[in-house]
């Protein structure tokens, strides 16, 4: 078992570390993710839905666009291509494939490409598409072949290859057996080379029958269940986006760990990050003459003789109690080591022990790794099922990597949840919630506050009732990030002004006020006295102090003129404190500009020497 | 502290009270030092040979000396205690010592602001004390508001037990001294009781601690103190309702306050080290450019957009100041626990002095609580900070009510991964017996247990465990501070224990664990699917032998490695050495290192002079060595083939002769299993003759160009 004990880090969970960067230390995972959109451009795709609903083609393009922009934000090193099939015109290397149009070659998406896609949207987009590509015969085999060339011509090493087919035709070749066969063979070839083929089937009058043809084309689902193909076709853009988003990113374990239950019983689990604060990527330094990126090198110098310092010429130090304590760099790291990386089960606790305020950082997700040890998933599933049934969580000690002190986590069971169209809404596994140590909980001096009476509470209940909505975790876009990328987009495309963003984090005041109507005033009448203004905070703040009878901070130190003169004569004014000097200045009507002690002394001396 | 004669007495095999008391004091001071507390501290010894205190007159207050006046404790004090504090041969009245302490406190706190005066008395009470003045002393203590703590070598109820339960009991529970208490000690204890109960009627005796008890408590370093910062703001609902609130950080991952400064290894001076950051172009020469000649840019997918700071500031999202605005209300269950973002929990109260705000906030808290709802709010700390969307949950406690605010994710923060189904998958579905084994395991490992009275007890409270990182850091700092030049100590056993599964649980779960092991067969997959990454292709990392080798090497080379500094690429000065280092440190993949090395070789060969040839030879040697070590014979052999092809064209015959001299030929099968070259072929390889074309190993790629070969990698 020692072998899968070997821990390696897949992705650093330090927020500071840039995510997309292929870190130099970890090369096991280098290589790019790639994704090809293979979109049907036949006439059927352009038929508009009833009630002015967008055509399948339009929906697909919007969906592809959203993938492009999200790739730009979250993983800008990934490669994406857009290929149309069933076109009249052809555009591919050497034009060896008829009716296949490579719109975007496999590359990182950029501003230009996003703009291209915008051109294909809606009515005028459909016209443009008809103009440059047209709709013609279909040979999915050729299209697949062309895509496979895209993958194989790639000079970069690809770590994950995925192909998504968007179509609304379940029988693309109209019963042409030879072409069907060719497509099947080509699809098999692709799958052989590690390409995962997904079908994003769209609505078709009379229903889309996957079993007719496409069941032989697409890759079997990961878990070999029959779930994959029973999917309903996507009718709505939201659904399509969701389905695409679930597939477009290759899920990656942040790390693989052993989960030891005790007594030598170990299972292997992967640790995944399902939520992490997306931040603005760090700025790149560019050479102003060529706009090419520059690299930074940091070097250490000896201040006195200017020689380069190697890391071995330095040590680390901290000062405590007037003493400098020095350690080697290695020792500093060693101090952080408690045990080897892993997840150790301590015991179980009822869910009620996990309090809302037990939160110090975003949770991780734990899923079994069946690849290395068989039987893993079975143990895991049994634990998951039982924990969930008994409403308990597993308390574990987590050492995420070498030289990292342990943290305790609550493994909260999560059963699989499917949404109405059988898409996984929540994956099965354990959420690892980080628990605070004693040091992380601050003591606040709480004060008792008056409590509200039932009438006041009831009024608030009405307000709450009026402003109810259903919270969805993906409902809010980060306005700061969005604005940043719009700005970049505008600069990259030489737009006059960036596209305006909608800030979903702002309260919709008008709507809220409308809904509340007179309730707001009624509530205020109930809780606030007539002259109370919660917005004037300064006025309210001062009040209690005045009411308390103006307790002076310090008794004023009066100093007699004689004493003062004595001090001036002896030149010992400096012995007095600043407040005393200030008071003295006031007393003698001395105008001072400064508040520094020397200035006060000078002013006083000048006055009294007269 | 009592350093008198009796403090050195102890039963066989037990630590004398003096040593225990010394440790208590050390631990106490250590805590103060590392918490960087501003509390001042003095040390008075009694039972000393010398007498040094201002009250000593006419034979009064003898054998008491003030060791340290009131000041902020520092390392010097710790060192002095460690090395200088010795037991003396006298004894002194502990009440006298108490008076000296009171005098010290009173005189030295004059004119200073203080919150609390406290005297901690460490003694074994073996010296008879003169009780005449007891009432006056108590009176003075009360008047000055000084609190008292006693630290004794035995628990306070030790004598009660011995007296009441007779001999049988006292033998079963021998007091820590190993012998019963002496008459003096009993008398002393009575006096202690008298003092403490008259100072504080009820809880007085709680201030008597035994040394061992105190040690345990003091071993834990004080948590770093932080004053909670108030964040005043207004909670708004719509445009017309606003409630004044104050937020406090309630839970937040505490980091070590101090960071490590980089100091020069010899002088230990921080100022001797200067950090310099330079910018350089991404070309071969790493041309440096001045900072002024660089501008800021951002990546937008494949594009890099120059975007100056000024422009950025002008165009960036602007938020309009601090804000706690309700966007709406939602059922608590729609907010997933695992979607909590950010690194803190904020508690929101009404301001202390504003009862109207208190009532308004209270009505919101109570309304939310009874409806099981939460408020979704936009939160912005101030004008410069980014706005968050978060949830404010109602929280009603016995003593107070508040809102708990936690950040929620933005759409960009979430990753919608789809995982294979577990329960709907026949392959993974556990059987009934397996499920019951898991069930039994859970039952045996419950950390919250109910006792007979139905009261629940949590035997593993994470939130009362001190962060082990701090404990360990301070332990090591203290050790290094007091004993410079010695190796760091191992982790304290009590700390380890605190982090492990409680004894009670591990005893209970043995059976169920065995059952689990029986019920769930775990099998390692033998044919491990190789990941297709360079590391695997060149097979140097998952091979257990290679790993062992790696570890060995690391041990061996660790010193060399440190002096090596950070080698990040194969330089031109000493390419072979750089190459070695790179391979050992695994800074870059093997193939990349080889690529860099071969590039250097080509560069060197371009010079066509013997001196450079020698250097080149060492490079080839290094390449060959590492290739064998890491089972990458093919890589080396391919390169050699292409090199050989170039010899006639590039006029490198002289170089080739050097290779022949050193017998640097292809790696044969005998040397490395992965090679497809036989020994004979390897020998023939070096011979330059017409037969060259017939050399058995056909080069895999026709063009002998190095670049092609590199592409192949």
């Amino acid at each position: 078992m020692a072998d899968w004990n070997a821990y390696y880090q897949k992705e650093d969970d330090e927020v500071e570390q840039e995510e997309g960067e292929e870190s130099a230390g970890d090369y096991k995972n280098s290589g790019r993710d790639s994704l090809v959109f293979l979109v049907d451009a036949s006439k059927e795709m352009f038929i508009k839905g009833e009630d002015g609903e967008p055509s399948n083609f339009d929906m697909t393009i919007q969906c592809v666009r959203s993938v492009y922009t999200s790739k730009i934000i979250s993983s800008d090193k990934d490669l994406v291509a857009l290929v149309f099939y069933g076109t009249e015109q052809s555009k591919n290397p050497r034009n060896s494939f008829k009716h296949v149009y490579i719109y975007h070659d496999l590359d990182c998406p950029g501003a230009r490409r996003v703009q291209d896609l915008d051109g294909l949207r809606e009515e005028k987009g459909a016209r443009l598409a008809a103009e440059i590509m047209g709709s013609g015969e279909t040979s999915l085999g050729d299209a697949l072949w062309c895509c496979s060339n895209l993958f194989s011509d790639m000079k970069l090493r690809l770590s994950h290859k995925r192909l998504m087919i968007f179509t609304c035709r379940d029988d693309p070749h109209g019963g042409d057996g030879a072409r069907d066969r060719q497509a099947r063979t080509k699809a098999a070839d692709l799958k052989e080379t590690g390409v995962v083929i997904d079908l994003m089937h769209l609505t078709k009058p009379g229903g889309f029958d996957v079993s007719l043809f496409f069941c032989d084309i697409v890759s079997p689902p990961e878990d070999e269940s029959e779930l994959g193909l029973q999917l309903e076709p996507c009718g709505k853009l939201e659904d399509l986006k969701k389905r695409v988003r679930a597939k477009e990113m290759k899920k990656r374990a942040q790390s693989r760990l052993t989960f030891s239950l005790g007594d030598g019983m170990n299972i292997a689990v992967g640790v995944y990050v399902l939520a992490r604060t997306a931040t603005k990527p760090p700025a790149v330094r560019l050479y102003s003459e060529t706009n090419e990126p520059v690299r930074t090198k940091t070097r250490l110098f000896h201040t006195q003789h200017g020689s380069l310092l190697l890391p071995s010429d330095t040590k680390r130090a901290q000062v405590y109690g007037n003493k400098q304590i020095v350690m080697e760099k290695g020792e500093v790291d060693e101090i952080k080591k408690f045990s080897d990386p892993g997840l150790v089960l301590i015991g179980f606790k009822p869910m009620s022990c996990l309090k809302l305020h037990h939160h110090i950082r975003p949770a991780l997700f734990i899923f079994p790794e069946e690849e290395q040890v068989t039987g893993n998933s079975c143990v895991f599933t049994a634990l998951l099922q039982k924990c969930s049934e008994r409403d308990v969580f597993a308390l574990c000690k987590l050492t995420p990597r070498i030289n990292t002190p342990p943290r305790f986590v609550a493994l909260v069971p999560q059963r699989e949840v499917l949404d109405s169209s059988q898409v996984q809404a929540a994956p099965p596994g354990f959420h690892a919630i980080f628990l605070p140590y004693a040091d992380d909980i601050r003591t606040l001096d709480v004060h008792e506050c008056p409590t509200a009476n039932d009438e006041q509470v009831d009024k608030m209940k009405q307000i709450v009732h009026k402003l109810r909505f259903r919270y969805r975790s993906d409902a809010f876009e980060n306005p700061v990030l969005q604005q940043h990328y719009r700005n970049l987009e505008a600069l990259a495309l030489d737009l006059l002004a960036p596209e305006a963003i909608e800030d979903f984090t702002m309260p919709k005041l008008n709507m809220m006020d409308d809904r509340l109507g007179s309730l707001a005033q009624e509530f205020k009448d109930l809780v606030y006295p007539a002259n109370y203004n919660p917005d004037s905070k300064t006025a309210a703040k001062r009040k209690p102090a005045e009411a308390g009878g103006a307790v002076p901070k310090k008794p004023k130190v009066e100093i007699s003129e004689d004493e003062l003169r004595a001090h001036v004569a002896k030149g010992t004014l400096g012995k007095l404190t600043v407040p005393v000097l200030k008071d003295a200045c006031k007393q003698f009507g001395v105008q001072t500009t400064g508040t520094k002690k020397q200035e006060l002394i000078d002013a006083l001396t000048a006055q009294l020497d007269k | 502290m009592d350093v008198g004669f009796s403090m050195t007495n102890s039963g066989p095999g037990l630590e004398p009270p003096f040593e225990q008391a010394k440790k208590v004091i050390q631990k106490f001071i250590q805590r103060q030092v590392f918490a960087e507390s501003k509390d001042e501290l003095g040390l008075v010894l009694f039972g000393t040979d010398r007498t040094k205190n201002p009250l000593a007159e006419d034979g009064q207050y003898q054998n008491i000396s003030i060791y340290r006046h009131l000041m902020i404790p520092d390392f010097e004090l710790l060192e002095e205690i460690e090395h200088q504090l010795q037991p003396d041969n006298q004894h002194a009245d502990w009440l006298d010592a108490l008076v000296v302490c009171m005098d010290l406190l009173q005189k030295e706190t004059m004119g200073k602001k203080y919150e609390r005066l406290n005297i901690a008395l460490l003694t074994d009470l073996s010296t008879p004390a003169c009780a005449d003045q007891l009432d006056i002393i108590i009176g003075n203590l009360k008047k000055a508001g000084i609190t008292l703590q006693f630290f004794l070598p035995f628990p306070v109820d030790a004598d009660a037990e011995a007296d009441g339960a007779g001999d049988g009991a006292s033998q079963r529970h021998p007091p820590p001294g190993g012998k019963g208490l002496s008459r003096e000690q009993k008398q002393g204890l009575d006096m202690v009781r008298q003092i403490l109960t008259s100072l504080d009627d009820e809880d007085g005796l709680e201030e008597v601690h035994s040394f061992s008890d105190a040690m345990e408590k003091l071993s834990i370093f004080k948590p770093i103190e932080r004053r909670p910062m108030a964040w005043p703001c207004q909670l708004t609902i719509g445009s017309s309702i606003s409630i004044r609130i104050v937020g406090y950080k309630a839970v937040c991952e505490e980091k070590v306050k101090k960071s490590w400064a980089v100091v020069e290894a010899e002088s230990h001076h921080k100022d001797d080290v200067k950090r310099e950051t330079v910018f350089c172009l991404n070309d071969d020469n790493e041309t440096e450019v001045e900072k002024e000649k660089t501008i800021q840019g951002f990546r937008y997918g494949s594009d890099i957009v120059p975007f100056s700071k000024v422009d950025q500031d002008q165009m960036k999202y602007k938020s309009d100041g601090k804000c706690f605005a309700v966007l709406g209300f939602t059922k608590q269950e729609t907010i997933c626990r695992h979607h909590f973002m950010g690194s803190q929990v904020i508690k929101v109260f009404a301001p202390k002095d504003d009862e109207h705000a208190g009532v308004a906030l209270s009505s919101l808290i109570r309304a939310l609580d009874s409806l099981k709802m939460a408020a979704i709010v936009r939160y912005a700390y101030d004008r410069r900070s980014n706005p968050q969307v978060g949830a404010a949950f109602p929280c009603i406690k016995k003593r107070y009510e508040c809102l708990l605010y936690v950040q929620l994710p933005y759409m960009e923060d979430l990753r919608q991964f789809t995982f294979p189904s577990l329960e709907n998958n026949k392959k993974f579905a556990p059987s009934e017996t397996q499920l019951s084994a898991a069930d039994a395991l859970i039952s045996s490992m419950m950390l919250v247990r109910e006792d007979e009275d139905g009261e629940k007890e949590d035997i593993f409270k994470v939130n009362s465990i001190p962060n082990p990182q701090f404990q360990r850091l301070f332990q090591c700092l203290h050790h290094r501070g007091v004993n410079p030049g010695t190796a760091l100590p191992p982790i304290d056993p009590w700390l380890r224990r605190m982090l492990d599964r409680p004894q009670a649980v591990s005893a209970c779960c043995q059976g169920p664990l065995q059952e689990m092991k029986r019920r769930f067969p775990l099998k390692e997959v033998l044919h491990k699917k190789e990941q297709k990454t360079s590391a695997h292709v060149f097979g140097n990392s998952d091979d257990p032998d290679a790993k062992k080798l790696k570890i060995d090497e690391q041990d061996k080379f660790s010193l060399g490695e440190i002096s090596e500094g950070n080698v990040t690429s194969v330089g031109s000065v000493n390419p072979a050495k750089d190459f070695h280092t790179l391979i050992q440190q695994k800074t870059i993949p093997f193939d990349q290192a080889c690529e860099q090395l071969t590039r250097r070789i080509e560069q060197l060969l371009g010079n066509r002079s013997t001196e450079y040839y020698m250097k080149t030879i060492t490079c080839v040697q290094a390449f060959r060595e590492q290739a064998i070590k890491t089972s990458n014979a093919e890589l080396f052999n391919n390169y050699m083939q292409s090199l050989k092809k170039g010899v006639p064209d590039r006029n490198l015959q002289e170089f080739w002769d050097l290779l022949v001299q050193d017998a640097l030929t292809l790696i044969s099968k005998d040397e490395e299993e992965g090679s497809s070259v036989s020994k004979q072929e390897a020998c023939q390889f070096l011979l330059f003759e017409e037969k060259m074309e017939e050399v058995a190993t056909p080069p895999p790629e026709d063009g002998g160009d190095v670049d092609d070969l590199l592409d192949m990698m």
Side-chain angles (χ1 to χ4, degrees), chain B residues 10-11 14-15 20 152-155 158 173-179 181 210-212:
Chain B
S10 72
L14 287 170
E15 218 175 356
Q20 290 186 9
L152 308 175
F154 42 82
H173 306 280
K179 53 177 176 157
L181 298 185
S210 73
F211 286 158
S212 51

Side-chain angles (χ1 to χ4, degrees), chain B residues 72-339:
Chain B
I72 295 176
D74 54 21
F75 246 94
E76 207 180 307
L77 180 58
L78 275 178
E79 274 168 29
E80 281 173 15
I81 293 175
E82 170 87 20
H83 302 298
Q84 293 177 16
L85 203 58
Q86 297 297 337
D88 276 352
N89 294 314
Q90 300 298 317
H91 51 84
D93 183 339
W94 56 269
L95 274 178
D96 282 351
L98 190 60
V99 176
V100 172
C101 291
M102 288 161 61
D103 179 63
L104 179 78
L105 275 181
Q106 257 165 355
K107 281 190 184 140
E108 298 191 4
T109 52
M110 283 250 260
K112 284 182 189 163
K113 278 207 294 185
Y114 57 85
E115 272 177 8
R116 209 166 79 100
L117 298 175
N118 184 42
I119 297 173
L121 201 67
L122 298 96
T123 177
D124 62 353
L125 297 176
S126 288
T127 314
C130 165
D132 308 347
Q133 311 243 316
L134 203 56
D135 291 335
I136 306 173
I137 294 174
I138 293 172
N140 279 335
L141 280 173
K142 275 188 179 166
K143 210 168 81 195
I146 298 176
T147 51
L148 257 187
Q149 283 174 307
F150 282 92
F151 294 87
L152 308 175
F154 42 82
V156 69
D157 45 7
D159 71 322
E161 214 170 86
D163 288 347
D167 286 345
S170 68
Q171 264 162 14
R172 251 184 286 138
H173 306 280
K179 53 177 176 157
L181 298 185
S182 67
R183 200 168 47 84
E184 290 82 13
Q185 285 175 317
K186 282 180 193 166
Q187 271 176 4
L189 208 49
D190 285 338
M191 272 197 277
V192 169
R193 287 213 187 89
Q194 197 184 339
I195 299 175
L196 288 175
T197 39
S198 56
L199 281 178
D200 185 340
D201 292 335
E202 283 169 26
D203 307 325
L205 287 183
E206 283 180 14
E207 289 305 332
V208 184
H209 311 275
S210 73
F211 286 158
S212 51
D213 214 29
M215 273 295 288
E216 215 163 276
K217 282 186 191 142
L218 287 170
S219 302
I220 300 176
F221 284 94
K222 243 188 180 171
I224 300 162
E225 273 176 54
R226 296 231 191 211
R227 291 212 159 265
M229 271 277 283
W231 179 75
C233 189
Q234 266 117 338
L235 183 151
T236 57
I237 305 172
S239 63
S240 61
I241 301 179
S242 100
I243 304 172
R244 288 181 50 216
I245 52 164
V246 182
Y248 293 97
K249 245 186 214 183
V251 181
C252 176
E253 192 171 337
E254 211 59 70
K255 299 265 160 66
V256 188
K257 241 198 261 176
K258 281 193 179 164
S259 57
W260 292 93
V262 178
V263 297
E264 214 270 330
E266 294 293 311
S267 67
H268 291 188
H269 278 312
K270 196 165 77 184
D271 302 337
D272 284 348
V273 179
K274 201 178 141 217
R275 183 179 291 271
E276 190 196 58
T277 305
V278 291
F279 298 97
C280 55
L281 297 181
N282 226 344
D283 54 15
D284 287 345
N285 301 328
E286 304 199 324
T287 322
E288 282 183 24
V289 292
E290 289 158 48
K291 187 168 193 276
E292 288 72 38
K293 286 205 168 162
T294 62
I295 48 168
Q296 187 185 257
F298 284 97
R299 281 183 196 284
Y300 184 78
S302 53
D303 313 313
I304 297 179
V305 183
F307 194 11
S308 73
K309 242 195 155 71
V310 184
D311 286 346
Q312 198 198 347
D313 281 342
Q314 210 162 36
M315 290 171 75
K316 76 170 180 206
Y317 176 87
K318 287 185 188 70
S319 105
D320 40 3
K322 61 165 70 168
C323 162
F324 200 79
V326 172
L327 305 178
F329 299 97
T330 187
K331 285 265 175 219
Q332 282 179 22
E333 75 228 22
T334 59
I335 302 164
C336 302
R337 188 65 178 73
H338 57 268
H339 276 155

Side-chain angles (χ1 to χ4, degrees), chain B residues 321-607:
Chain B
K322 61 165 70 168
C323 162
F324 200 79
V326 172
L327 305 178
F329 299 97
T330 187
K331 285 265 175 219
Q332 282 179 22
E333 75 228 22
T334 59
I335 302 164
C336 302
R337 188 65 178 73
H338 57 268
H339 276 155
F340 283 11
M341 299 293 289
S343 55
Q344 58 177 9
V345 176
I346 297 172
K347 282 189 176 174
V348 174
F349 298 92
K352 236 183 205 136
D353 49 18
D354 190 337
E355 59 177 287
H356 308 304
V359 172
L361 191 66
S362 165
S363 45
L364 176 63
I365 294 168
R366 285 167 177 246
L368 290 176
D369 189 62
S370 71
L371 294 169
K372 297 258 176 300
M373 295 185 86
I376 300 293
V377 294
R378 170 192 157 98
Y379 163 90
Y381 180 76
D382 67 8
R383 206 166 37 79
R384 289 156 303 164
S385 57
N386 296 339
Q388 301 176 358
V389 168
F393 296 93
C395 165
I396 299 182
K397 289 271 167 75
K398 259 188 221 131
R399 285 172 53 228
Y400 62 92
E401 328 176 315
C402 65
L403 289 172
L404 281 180
Y405 169 82
V406 190
Q407 188 185 351
L408 292 176
Y410 279 121
M411 191 260 279
E412 293 91 336
D413 303 339
L414 295 174
R415 300 170 189 194
Q416 314 277 1
F417 291 150
T418 309
F419 287 84
S421 180
L422 287 177
E423 283 165 67
N424 300 327
N425 191 323
K426 286 182 204 91
K427 232 167 72 189
F428 303 148
S431 66
E432 274 310 311
T433 45
Q434 285 176 325
L435 279 175
S436 61
D439 199 53
L441 181 74
I442 294 176
S443 302
S444 72
M445 291 184 80
M446 283 309 282
L447 295 166
V448 178
R449 295 180 174 186
E450 251 173 73
D451 58 12
E452 300 94 70
D453 313 332
E455 265 189 53
K456 282 183 184 163
E457 195 206 357
D458 190 339
I459 55 171
F460 199 88
K461 272 192 160 155
V462 175
N463 52 18
S464 54
I465 299 177
N467 188 337
Q469 183 183 5
F470 301 165
Q471 300 300 322
R472 173 79 176 135
L473 173 67
F474 292 142
Q475 184 207 359
C476 291
L477 281 171
H478 175 244
H479 178 90
R480 182 52 57 85
V482 179
N483 319 297
T486 54
L488 295 177
I491 297 174
D492 279 333
W494 65 266
L495 187 59
R496 274 213 181 283
R497 251 196 327 274
M498 199 175 260
L499 300 173
D500 283 336
R501 184 180 290 174
Q503 274 296 310
V505 171
S506 39
C508 286
C509 66
Q510 282 308 320
L513 262 177
Q514 292 301 328
E515 180 68 12
M516 283 286 278
K517 273 169 121 175
R518 255 199 308 281
R519 293 287 167 216
F520 293 94
L522 293 174
K523 212 178 196 177
E524 208 171 331
V525 179
L526 288 176
H527 302 286
K528 233 181 78 187
K529 243 191 195 170
E530 288 272 329
Q531 263 182 308
K532 281 187 181 158
T533 57
S534 60
H536 282 83
V537 172
F538 295 109
N540 58 347
S541 67
D542 262 13
D543 179 358
D545 287 337
K547 195 174 288 160
K548 218 168 126 207
L549 192 75
K550 188 171 81 189
I551 293 162
D552 289 344
E553 271 176 3
Q554 259 167 11
D555 286 337
K556 208 160 55 191
F557 283 95
S558 61
L559 257 179
E561 205 176 280
I562 291 165
S563 59
E564 210 62 70
N566 250 346
V567 178
T568 53
S569 63
V570 178
S572 57
V573 181
N574 198 340
K577 202 171 153 205
D578 287 356
F579 176 70
H580 268 302
T581 326
L582 282 176
I583 301 292
Q584 269 152 27
Q585 293 180 342
K586 296 213 171 296
T587 338
I588 52 171
F590 185 77
D591 55 331
Q592 265 182 44
C594 294
E595 187 188 326
Q596 291 186 5
L597 183 75
T598 48
R599 203 177 286 153
R600 287 288 171 212
I601 294 178
E602 294 304 314
Q603 235 174 39
L604 290 169
L605 288 179
N607 290 317

Side-chain angles (χ1 to χ4, degrees), chain A residues 86-90 92 95-100 137 139 142-143:
Chain A
T87 54
E88 183 56 46
Q89 304 300 320
S90 310
N92 49 61
N95 275 338
S96 45
F97 306 107
K98 291 272 180 284
H99 309 296
V100 179
E137 274 179 66
S139 167
D142 280 348

Side-chain angles (χ1 to χ4, degrees), chain A residues 298-531:
Chain A
T298 306
R299 290 185 296 219
L300 295 176
F301 281 104
H302 197 287
T303 327
Q304 273 155 35
H305 40 87
S307 61
L308 254 177
L309 286 177
L310 294 170
S312 58
D313 297 335
T314 62
K315 288 185 181 173
R316 303 291 179 271
Q318 288 192 357
V319 178
Y320 277 100
N322 301 326
K323 183 176 173 98
Q324 189 185 43
I325 303 166
V326 181
M327 289 194 199
E328 302 275 356
K329 170 86 174 65
E331 289 175 323
V332 171
D333 292 336
E334 187 201 312
I335 287 175
K336 293 194 217 129
K337 179 172 176 165
F338 283 78
S339 49
D340 289 329
L343 196 59
V344 180
L345 178 64
I346 302 286
F348 298 89
K349 283 189 191 186
M351 279 303 284
S352 58
C353 287
L354 181 64
K355 300 286 191 290
L356 269 179
H357 67 266
H358 289 162
H359 167 72
I360 45 169
R361 54 169 96 154
L364 297 172
F365 186 71
I366 312 286
F367 193 80
E369 291 267 323
E370 189 71 13
E371 273 164 37
Q372 289 142 340
V373 179
T374 55
N376 247 335
S377 303
C378 189
V379 184
F380 193 89
T381 314
L383 278 178
L384 181 65
Q385 214 166 316
K386 277 294 157 194
C387 281
S388 166
E389 274 168 24
R390 299 184 55 165
D391 204 26
V392 295
F393 67 81
L395 184 74
C396 293
K397 179 166 69 178
L398 169 71
T399 308
R401 69 187 74 113
I402 199 155
N403 288 343
T404 320
R407 275 266 164 201
F408 286 96
V409 291
L411 294 193
V412 177
Q414 166 80 60
R415 307 286 281 266
E416 186 175 22
V417 181
L418 301 176
D419 70 4
S420 50
S421 51
Q422 295 294 299
V423 176
Q424 192 175 63
F430 284 104
H431 292 292
I433 311 260
F434 285 87
L435 300 174
Y437 280 124
D439 304 73
D440 302 327
I441 297 176
R442 300 186 178 193
T443 39
L444 309 176
D445 55 345
V446 290
H447 52 273
E448 269 178 62
C449 263
T451 50
N453 61 33
D454 287 347
E455 194 188 354
Q456 292 160 333
V457 173
D458 283 340
K459 190 54 80 185
M460 185 48 94
K461 276 190 193 167
Q462 291 176 27
I463 293 177
V464 169
H465 201 73
K466 285 276 183 216
L467 299 177
R468 266 176 326 161
F469 77 112
R470 198 178 162 72
Y471 170 78
R472 285 204 345 263
S473 55
D474 55 355
F476 297 96
E477 287 184 335
N478 185 343
V480 177
L481 271 188
Q482 291 296 334
Q483 183 70 58
H484 178 71
Y485 282 104
R486 297 294 165 90
N487 289 344
L488 290 182
E489 193 182 44
L491 288 170
L493 298 175
D494 288 328
L495 304 180
L496 281 176
E499 200 185 332
I501 59 156
E502 186 180 348
D503 186 350
F504 294 98
T505 70
M506 289 305 268
K508 299 187 174 58
L509 289 179
N510 290 339
M511 207 177 79
M512 290 172 83
D513 289 348
D514 279 353
R515 286 222 207 153
L516 288 181
S518 61
L519 274 174
Q521 194 54 47
E522 286 163 33
F523 175 74
K524 282 198 283 185
D525 292 344
L526 273 177
V527 296
Y528 292 151
N531 58 354

